[in-house]
Amino acid sequence: MTPRTSVSARFFMIVSLGTALTLTACGNSTQPRSASPTVSASASASVTGAPSPTSTAVYKPADAKGKAENVPVPVLPEAAKANTKEGVEAFTAHWFQVMGYAYETGDIGPLTKITGGNCEMCEGVKRVVAKAYTNGQWLSGGKFSTPSVSSTFKPQPDQRIPVVVQVIQTEIRYWSPAGNEYRQPSEQTNTANVAFLRFVEGAWMLDSVNPLR
């Protein structure tokens, strides 16, 4: 992948724009620089024996007819609990999945729990996402993927661990209570970023995230 020469910050202008609910913005075809990708996979479980008679809530993504329903909260992978190179990479990928959950539901609680209070961009995103779900409005789209996540696991002078991450966010559409789009959709974005994390009291915490320039 090759780095972007500039960042038109959908992700990072969100604090100053206030009502803009967009994340990092590069052109859709931009391929940010990154080291070798790290894949964090959640464990899957199989159950044998007779099927349970209990019903299971079915996930429904948001659309013009209404908000997303039964959205599962991202589960922290076991790998993301370790104070290792693999652990910080897995946690960073998980953090962006939790960010996507906030966009899809308007619930910023899970994101707040794993984000430090000094991340200005993060605080701005939480404020505008919460506002987007007031007065019966909602969003659709805005899902995240992190094809490449890499860290040298060498701490900065302040002991934070940097992680370089490629972030892709799908198109976001904005819906009024009547099911009408009240603004133009935000296009899909693909950017390179650097996140800084700390391992505090046995768990990772994202301290800040910035675009790579």
Side-chain angles (χ1 to χ4, degrees), residues 58-140:
V58 178
Y59 165 69
K60 173 187 172 296
D63 56 23
K65 297 180 180 179
K67 301 177 183 180
E69 298 177 3
N70 305 312
V71 182
V73 181
V75 177
L76 182 68
E78 284 298 318
K81 300 176 182 180
N83 186 10
T84 62
K85 168 179 160 49
E86 293 75 17
V88 74
E89 291 172 343
F91 181 86
T92 301
H94 170 74
W95 187 88
F96 280 99
Q97 291 303 305
V98 177
M99 175 76 87
Y101 174 83
Y103 269 80
E104 192 168 12
T105 65
D107 179 6
I108 63 174
L111 185 65
T112 299
K113 291 179 180 179
I114 59 174
T115 305
N118 295 324
C119 180
E120 294 182 5
M121 182 281 300
C122 308
E123 291 302 309
V125 168
K126 288 188 287 185
R127 286 193 298 270
V128 295
V129 166
K131 185 176 180 180
Y133 280 85
T134 59
N135 302 319
Q137 299 177 152
W138 71 91
L139 305 175
S140 65

Side-chain angles (χ1 to χ4, degrees), residues 46-52:
S46 60
V47 180
T48 58
S52 170

Side-chain angles (χ1 to χ4, degrees), residues 1 62 68 104 140 149 190 211:
M1 290 183 287
E104 192 168 12
S140 65
V149 184
N190 181 355

